[in-house]
Amino acid sequence: MWDVPDPVSGRGYQVFAALPPSYYAQPQRRYPVLYVTDADYAFPLLKQIGRRLNVEGPTVEEYILVGLSYAKGEGGMESRRRDYTPTTNGPAGTPSGTVHGGSKAYQAYVRDQVLPFVAQRYRTDEKRRIFLGHSYGSLLGMQILLSEPRLFDGYILGSPSFWFDRHHMAGQERAYAAKHDDLPARVYMYIGEYEEMRPGDARFAKSGNMVTDTKSMAQALTSRNYPSLHMQTEVLNNESHVSVAPRGFTLGLRYLLPAGELPSLKIPGGR
């Protein structure tokens, strides 16, 4: 666990890091890096999922896991509402005084502070950085994808909150398409079957049609025919917004980091 503050905002953040089992036994090897938002819950979950997937033999490639914490002294909702959302127009019913719209600044913090910090301390394969976010975290991930796609090689975007500010991210997708003829990234998006309204069925969402939103974004991206975009989108049956993450994380890892997919880079002398 490392303190990696943001010199621009003055806020304190921590970075959690977990190394793969072979890290010290193979000092010449570099590893892909998985960066996860909402580290309080996602970091320990992904640590165990990565371990369990390989218990009976290689299923996913070993990776360095990096968790992005909430700001020190803040609750999770306070921090993520500000850092993961693209505009100041938060949803109706948000508590008075809540701040939204800081994701561009947080993206700059990740790019300028966190990524160099991790690269200097661990044997990372900087060509194979993967971003994982769920809900508001995937809203942040889509913003990065549509503004600095090469910041990460792969994106796992789960239950994305594309409804935010009257589908602001749909407008960002159109703006990107108007200026670019390629989107170099590998993307796995997942959404739970029950993240859609169906009146009279308590299993389904009471507000918002996030399955429709996710399918619409996937269709829009696919329709652009970007030559370097590789994307898979899945609606996971019998899952809700709160239950879908472990399954989505697992499938995302298997899509982006299948065992034996790519050789890890070797470096003289190790580190």
Side-chain angles (χ1 to χ4, degrees), residues 37-80:
T37 62
D38 295 293
D40 286 36
Y41 85 89
F43 180 84
L45 186 58
L46 280 156
K47 186 173 184 295
Q48 292 304 319
I49 288 174
R51 183 183 69 84
R52 292 288 297 175
L53 285 175
N54 290 337
V55 165
E56 296 182 351
T59 298
V60 297
E61 187 176 352
E62 289 185 312
Y63 55 85
I64 296 171
L65 176 62
V66 175
L68 304 172
S69 80
Y70 304 129
K72 281 187 169 183
E74 294 182 351
M77 288 307 299
E78 177 184 2
S79 191
R80 68 199 306 272

Side-chain angles (χ1 to χ4, degrees), residues 228-256:
S228 302
L229 175 63
H230 303 277
M231 185 173 67
Q232 180 170 317
T233 303
E234 292 191 85
V235 179
L236 303 181
N237 68 311
N238 299 321
E239 302 288 3
S240 68
H241 191 72
V242 296
S243 71
V244 72
R247 187 171 163 196
F249 291 178
T250 299
L251 294 172
L253 288 174
R254 293 172 68 178
Y255 179 71
L256 291 177

Side-chain angles (χ1 to χ4, degrees), residues 53-118:
L53 285 175
N54 290 337
V55 165
E56 296 182 351
T59 298
V60 297
E61 187 176 352
E62 289 185 312
Y63 55 85
I64 296 171
L65 176 62
V66 175
L68 304 172
S69 80
Y70 304 129
K72 281 187 169 183
E74 294 182 351
M77 288 307 299
E78 177 184 2
S79 191
R80 68 199 306 272
R81 281 170 174 159
R82 179 193 61 240
D83 291 343
Y84 299 170
T85 59
T87 73
T88 58
N89 300 321
T94 302
S96 176
T98 300
V99 177
H100 294 86
S103 60
K104 289 183 180 178
Y106 186 76
Q107 177 177 331
Y109 159 71
V110 172
R111 180 190 65 234
D112 299 338
Q113 304 300 323
V114 176
L115 299 187
F117 181 91
V118 172

Side-chain angles (χ1 to χ4, degrees), residues 12-245:
Y13 293 94
Q14 291 179 318
V15 167
F16 309 158
L19 302 178
S22 66
Y23 189 85
Y24 293 108
Q26 299 184 31
Q28 305 298 313
R29 182 176 173 184
R30 285 189 178 273
Y31 295 83
V33 192
L34 178 64
Y35 290 84
V36 300
T37 62
D38 295 293
D40 286 36
Y41 85 89
F43 180 84
L45 186 58
L46 280 156
K47 186 173 184 295
Q48 292 304 319
I49 288 174
R51 183 183 69 84
R52 292 288 297 175
L53 285 175
N54 290 337
V55 165
E56 296 182 351
T59 298
V60 297
E61 187 176 352
E62 289 185 312
Y63 55 85
I64 296 171
L65 176 62
V66 175
L68 304 172
S69 80
Y70 304 129
K72 281 187 169 183
E74 294 182 351
M77 288 307 299
E78 177 184 2
S79 191
R80 68 199 306 272
R81 281 170 174 159
R82 179 193 61 240
D83 291 343
Y84 299 170
T85 59
T87 73
T88 58
N89 300 321
T94 302
S96 176
T98 300
V99 177
H100 294 86
S103 60
K104 289 183 180 178
Y106 186 76
Q107 177 177 331
Y109 159 71
V110 172
R111 180 190 65 234
D112 299 338
Q113 304 300 323
V114 176
L115 299 187
F117 181 91
V118 172
Q120 290 168 7
R121 282 160 179 77
Y122 301 108
R123 296 195 309 275
T124 62
D125 181 346
E126 288 299 290
K127 294 181 179 179
R128 302 180 64 206
R129 296 192 297 243
I130 295 173
F131 177 96
L132 187 154
H134 181 87
S135 193
Y136 272 3
S138 62
L139 191 64
L140 170 66
M142 183 57 72
Q143 174 187 283
I144 296 173
L145 177 64
L146 295 175
S147 58
E148 295 183 270
R150 294 186 185 276
L151 201 58
F152 296 91
D153 162 63
Y155 296 80
I156 300 173
L157 306 177
S159 298
S161 300
F162 292 148
W163 52 263
F164 187 87
D165 191 9
R166 300 180 181 181
H167 297 87
H168 173 83
M169 206 53 65
Q172 295 300 104
E173 187 281 324
R174 291 190 294 271
Y176 181 91
K179 296 181 179 180
H180 300 83
D181 57 10
D182 200 7
L183 183 56
R186 299 179 300 146
V187 181
Y188 178 81
M189 284 200 297
Y190 68 83
I191 187 79
E193 174 190 6
Y194 299 146
E195 299 188 68
E196 188 88 354
M197 290 188 293
R198 184 178 293 178
D201 193 328
R203 298 172 300 173
F204 286 79
K206 293 180 176 60
S207 63
N209 288 305
M210 294 174 64
V211 175
T212 297
D213 292 344
T214 300
K215 287 181 175 180
S216 295
M217 179 62 78
Q219 182 177 11
L221 290 170
T222 301
S223 72
R224 309 303 181 186
N225 295 315
Y226 295 125
S228 302
L229 175 63
H230 303 277
M231 185 173 67
Q232 180 170 317
T233 303
E234 292 191 85
V235 179
L236 303 181
N237 68 311
N238 299 321
E239 302 288 3
S240 68
H241 191 72
V242 296
S243 71
V244 72

